[in-house]
Amino acid sequence: MTSLPSVPSAAKLVRAFFRAIPAAVALATFVHLARGGFRGLHTLGWTEAALVVGLLVGIGMAAWRRAMRSSVGAIIDLRDDLELGGGLISAAFIVVAIGGTELFPIVYLLMAFLVAFLPRNAGMTLLGVALVYDGLVTLGGTVVNVTGFLTHTLFLALFAGLYHLVLSARMAVAKRAESDAVQKRIREVEERARTFRLVSSGTQDSFSGMSSDEKWLVASVKEIEGAVHAALEIAETGLRTDTCAAFLLTSDDRSLKLYDCRSPTERVQREKFNAGEGIIGGVLKRRAPVRMNSPQGLKGVTYYESGGPTVQALLAVPILEGSGLVRGVLVADKQKNEPFTDQDEKLLTTIAGEVLRSIEVERVMSYIRKTRDEKDRFFRAIEELNRAGSPDQVFVAVLESTRQLAGLDFCAVTLVSEQEGKRVHRVVRMSGVTAQGKAMEGRTFPDNNGLVANVVRYGAPLPGRDIKAMDRQVIFDEETQVRGLGALKIFPLVAGDRILGTLVAGSRKKAAFEQDVLRMIEVIAIQAAQAVLRAQLYEQMEKMATTDGLTGLLNHRTFQSRADEILAQARRYNRKCSIVLTDVDHFKNVNDTYGHPTGDQVLKGVARIIKTLARDTDVVARYGGEEFVMVMPETDAHGAKVIAERIREAVMAEVFQTEMGPLRITMSLGISTFPDNGQEKQQLIDLSDQCLYHSKRNGRNQAVTVAQMQGGRKLQAVAE
């Protein structure tokens, strides 16, 4: 049944009409200018008035449409930009045509605005429109104003191009300044995090964005800063100091840096200064509090800039960890000769302990969070492996989870198999490699003395210790070199008493594999082996369920479902589809004369020939006994017969070597086509079967279509 074309609704037609107004009015204005309209106030009439009103309406509609689309977050396309820009250009040139070329700077300003605020493709298109309009207005059908036209063209291009470049440059500078400011603040937070030992001093992590880890880091730093600030307020109040400051050692332990202070002077050192000099240097070396006073002023006060106040009394207390490691120093001073007491020292020592405790708490919380995140990634990796259904899914899951868990730069999975009694290793998947390295996927290499082969041989992770000259290590085979690694560990994929392959983990960092990380990767390798084994068994079971055990072709049940799918596609898209049913001629005689083993050999050979000559899109199956079937999408009767004849000729030319001598066979084929011969699958199969038996009744060793069969029947009926 042929469907009728759909008729647009009245609402759609109305919307299309109003949508066409801006473009239609701009085009009408263009035509009127080309015909000499708008050449002065004395030429204006009802036509010009109607065009001006229509143009204003069109500009208003285009602007309203852009505003509505912008308010709902819809994409503003090129047509929207051209409708609004074209209307504005038309209006500008009407003004120029009426008022004279003295008003042409209006066009320059308009083009600068459009090029600056519209996308580049829209701006360049409108620039071309403006040049066409300029040609109509300036030349006016003569060559008198060619110089003026060329001048306008030059200035239009300069205005548009220079304004666009200037605006782009200013935006780029603004973005760069904003990015630099953000990066500076992030670097400051990262440095403070290192000082507080929230992250390792040698970290190379970049804070390019505020991820969850970075937010945690910033929150931890602010928590410690708040604790230090509160402690200094207590010390200032309790000790009645002029300056009370906390100086912490930087991540290299060589310098001190001010992190907070309470002081009336601005001369406290804000930059890093040497930690081994002056009174504070002595406190750090002795790891003990220092109390000093002198009416003449103390020497060796290094935490003030030159010109700072004279200190007559000072109390400095080291910030010590339980292991005796110094983290910094708390300093309290007075500009009067009022010595600090034992109670003052005890109070400042207690405050230093609170500062250290806040740092330790945040460090422990960071460690807990890091550990928790590692465990979460670990369990997610296990879940991904358990969900993987095919070997490919397992390989992707194990590589991704291992890389994320350990921050690896290189990962690979290999499988081992037996071929002719010898082990053969195959690289099935790699990550963290170049395109050239990716080409190694699927490559096989024999058993050798490389690390992968030894891991399979001994069933234990290798190397057992850090190895030097990593670039010279043979990981896969002599022909394959993996360079740039600082650490390497290869784990066996063990499932029960079988070793299925290996998991190769590499990093550019030498100290990449901590003990906890190694243990988690080892567990992932065990789970991966189980997942690979399950996936392989599943594939084998699926293959057994869908393929014929003797020929390796699809079985009858699978053919039925695949045929339904192909015919459904053919119906949906009104395409041709052919079904070819084949049968080996006199196959019973082959079994009776040569024996069933020879019969099986013949069926395997025929299946191989059909599979080889069929196209990749064709479905080939064993229909039953000595019958085979092909479903050929996008194929009419003629095309199906061409392929069927090739198969028939190849089978006829094949020589099967048997114990009783060479054997040649032939086969008959029947062809039906959708929709020419039928609409339903069973109807087409029945017709192919009838064509097949028509072939057998008329001499065998031939391919017969439905049309040939029906034509033969008509001839037979006429003869009778």
Side-chain angles (χ1 to χ4, degrees):
M1 180 176 179
T2 304
S3 60
L4 295 175
S6 59
V7 179
S9 64
K12 289 184 178 179
L13 291 174
V14 171
R15 284 197 298 269
F17 171 76
F18 281 105
R19 182 70 197 274
I21 288 177
V25 176
L27 182 60
T29 303
F30 176 86
V31 172
H32 196 62
L33 281 170
R35 298 177 63 184
F38 296 108
R39 295 304 183 188
L41 289 174
H42 62 282
T43 65
L44 299 181
W46 289 107
T47 302
E48 285 77 8
L51 286 174
V52 170
V53 171
L55 195 59
L56 293 176
V57 171
I59 293 173
M61 293 177 64
W64 179 82
R65 176 178 171 80
R66 284 176 59 89
M68 290 299 99
R69 291 178 67 85
S70 179
S71 65
V72 298
I75 297 175
I76 298 175
D77 55 24
L78 179 61
R79 179 178 177 181
D80 296 323
D81 294 330
L82 295 181
E83 286 176 351
L84 180 60
L88 292 173
I89 291 174
S90 299
F93 273 97
I94 287 176
V95 173
V96 173
I98 294 174
T101 57
E102 295 82 3
L103 299 179
F104 205 85
I106 295 174
V107 179
Y108 296 150
L109 295 176
L110 176 62
M111 285 310 306
F113 171 81
L114 294 177
V115 171
F117 292 99
L118 294 181
R120 183 177 300 176
N121 55 351
M124 293 300 102
T125 303
L126 291 173
L127 178 60
V129 172
L131 292 176
V132 173
Y133 269 106
D134 185 34
L136 296 176
V137 174
T138 306
L139 297 178
T142 69
V143 295
V144 176
N145 296 323
V146 171
T147 303
F149 171 68
L150 295 177
T151 303
H152 290 169
T153 300
L154 176 62
F155 276 94
L156 273 174
L158 285 176
F159 260 79
L162 291 177
Y163 200 89
H164 180 74
L165 290 176
V166 169
L167 187 63
S168 299
R170 292 194 63 181
M171 290 179 64
V173 169
K175 288 181 179 179
R176 190 177 301 110
E178 181 182 359
S179 176
D180 290 343
V182 172
Q183 291 299 321
K184 181 180 179 181
R185 175 56 183 158
I186 289 174
R187 284 194 295 271
E188 289 176 357
V189 171
E190 186 179 15
E191 178 59 33
R192 292 197 172 195
R194 291 198 188 99
T195 302
F196 296 145
R197 273 59 177 181
L198 295 177
V199 295
S200 64
S201 61
T203 181
Q204 297 296 320
D205 295 337
S206 62
F207 290 77
S208 58
M210 291 297 287
S211 66
S212 60
D213 289 338
E214 293 156 4
K215 290 176 183 177
W216 177 279
L217 195 65
V218 171
S220 299
V221 169
K222 289 190 173 295
E223 186 70 24
I224 295 173
E225 289 176 343
V228 173
H229 188 75
L232 293 182
E233 285 185 345
I234 295 172
E236 180 190 30
T237 303
L239 301 177
R240 300 179 303 279
T241 62
D242 288 304
T243 294
C244 187
F247 296 94
L248 298 182
L249 283 167
T250 56
S251 56
D252 59 4
D253 292 333
R254 295 178 180 178
S255 303
L256 283 167
K257 184 171 175 54
L258 176 70
Y259 278 89
D260 204 354
C261 74
R262 306 280 296 178
S263 177
T265 179
E266 296 294 328
R267 309 302 294 179
V268 180
Q269 285 275 16
R270 302 288 173 177
E271 300 299 327
K272 294 186 289 186
F273 59 94
N274 195 327
E277 297 178 352
I279 297 173
I280 292 182
V283 173
L284 296 177
K285 291 175 183 177
R286 294 176 58 238
R287 299 178 183 174
V290 169
R291 276 186 288 161
M292 301 179 69
N293 66 286
S294 171
Q296 288 78 32
L298 297 173
K299 303 296 184 182
V301 179
T302 57
Y303 56 86
Y304 283 119
E305 297 175 353
S306 60
T310 300
V311 176
Q312 297 187 12
L314 182 144
L315 172 61
V317 175
I319 301 174
L320 292 173
E321 291 187 350
S323 61
L325 187 63
V326 182
R327 287 299 179 211
V329 61
L330 284 185
V331 177
D333 67 30
K334 298 177 182 179
Q335 297 174 19
K336 297 179 181 179
N337 188 21
E338 296 177 356
F340 289 97
T341 65
D342 291 341
Q343 290 297 325
D344 294 337
E345 181 179 321
K346 184 176 181 180
L347 174 62
L348 197 60
T349 301
T350 302
I351 291 174
E354 287 300 310
V355 171
L356 179 65
R357 186 187 64 80
S358 65
I359 295 175
E360 289 294 337
V361 167
E362 291 302 324
R363 193 187 311 167
V364 170
M365 291 299 294
S366 295
Y367 174 77
I368 291 173
R369 183 176 183 273
K370 177 183 176 184
T371 305
R372 185 200 67 190
D373 290 346
E374 286 179 350
K375 296 297 187 294
D376 286 345
R377 288 195 294 268
F378 174 70
F379 289 122
R380 283 198 300 270
I382 300 300
E383 290 175 1
E384 289 294 328
L385 287 173
N386 288 332
R387 279 200 296 264
S390 67
D392 281 342
Q393 292 174 343
V394 173
F395 302 145
V396 171
V398 69
L399 291 183
E400 288 302 315
S401 58
T402 306
R403 287 191 69 186
Q404 293 178 9
L405 184 67
L408 301 178
D409 300 300
F410 170 73
C411 233
V413 176
T414 70
L415 293 181
V416 63
S417 60
E418 294 278 343
Q419 294 183 10
E420 298 179 357
K422 296 181 180 180
R423 283 199 191 107
V424 175
H425 304 270
R426 179 166 61 94
V427 181
V428 293
R429 184 78 67 167
M430 303 181 79
S431 65
V433 294
T434 61
Q436 184 179 4
K438 199 73 173 174
M440 275 191 61
E441 289 184 354
R443 179 180 173 182
T444 60
F445 57 94
D447 214 25
N448 53 33
N449 288 323
L451 291 174
V452 166
N454 281 326
V455 167
V456 173
R457 189 175 296 120
Y458 300 117
L462 289 176
R465 55 183 176 79
D466 292 339
I467 53 178
K468 299 179 180 179
M470 184 71 72
D471 289 346
R472 292 200 294 270
Q473 293 297 320
V474 177
I475 299 176
F476 303 105
D477 59 3
E478 293 284 354
E479 298 179 4
T480 307
Q481 297 294 326
V482 180
R483 303 190 181 279
L485 295 181
L488 177 72
K489 204 73 173 180
I490 305 176
F491 301 86
L493 300 180
V494 181
D497 58 349
R498 294 178 56 189
I499 298 179
L500 305 178
T502 65
L503 170 60
V504 183
S507 174
R508 295 189 181 94
K509 301 176 183 177
K510 290 186 178 180
F513 297 123
E514 298 177 357
Q515 196 60 38
D516 290 344
V517 172
L518 286 175
R519 178 57 185 160
M520 284 189 284
I521 298 178
E522 190 172 2
V523 173
I524 286 180
I526 294 172
Q527 292 292 324
Q530 297 292 336
V532 169
L533 185 60
R534 288 196 305 269
Q536 288 178 340
L537 292 174
Y538 177 79
E539 278 196 339
Q540 292 175 5
M541 292 176 61
E542 189 178 42
K543 186 176 181 180
M544 291 173 62
T546 60
T547 59
D548 175 61
L550 177 65
T551 62
L553 301 178
L554 297 178
N555 58 25
H556 184 93
R557 180 179 63 83
T558 307
F559 153 73
Q560 293 289 350
S561 62
R562 294 291 301 277
D564 287 333
E565 295 172 4
I566 294 174
L567 284 172
Q569 291 285 328
R571 288 192 193 94
R572 181 175 181 180
Y573 298 108
N574 195 25
R575 301 298 177 85
K576 303 280 188 178
C577 175
S578 294
I579 295 179
V580 180
L581 195 63
T582 75
D583 184 90
V584 178
D585 296 331
H586 301 299
F587 185 71
K588 185 176 183 302
N589 291 339
V590 173
N591 279 335
D592 292 343
T593 304
Y594 293 88
H596 287 280
T598 300
D600 291 344
Q601 179 186 352
V602 168
L603 292 178
K604 290 179 183 179
V606 171
R608 173 180 51 79
I609 293 171
I610 296 176
K611 185 67 177 176
T612 301
L613 295 179
R615 302 166 304 181
D616 292 339
T617 56
D618 298 337
V619 174
V620 182
R622 185 180 180 188
Y623 196 70
E626 69 273 22
E627 289 185 325
F628 300 90
V629 65
M630 290 197 314
V631 184
M632 309 175 72
E634 306 279 346
T635 309
D636 59 12
H638 175 73
K641 183 165 183 179
V642 169
I643 296 176
E645 283 294 323
R646 291 176 188 165
I647 293 172
R648 183 189 64 80
E649 292 172 358
V651 169
M652 184 174 62
E654 184 76 8
V655 178
F656 297 93
Q657 300 298 331
T658 71
E659 294 180 355
M660 299 176 63
L663 169 65
R664 293 178 181 271
I665 61 166
T666 60
M667 66 187 312
S668 302
L669 304 95
I671 304 166
S672 64
T673 302
F674 169 90
D676 301 342
N677 307 132
Q679 296 285 332
E680 301 300 327
K681 177 185 67 177
Q682 193 56 50
Q683 180 185 9
L684 294 169
I685 293 174
D686 291 342
L687 284 170
S688 294
D689 193 49
Q690 293 173 25
C691 292
L692 173 64
Y693 281 96
H694 181 83
S695 169
K696 287 184 175 292
R697 286 193 301 269
N698 290 274
R700 294 184 172 85
N701 190 24
Q702 57 184 309
V704 176
T705 64
V706 173
Q708 289 176 316
M709 176 184 70
Q710 292 172 346
R713 287 176 179 175
K714 289 179 181 179
L715 290 175
Q716 185 178 1
V718 170
E720 292 176 352

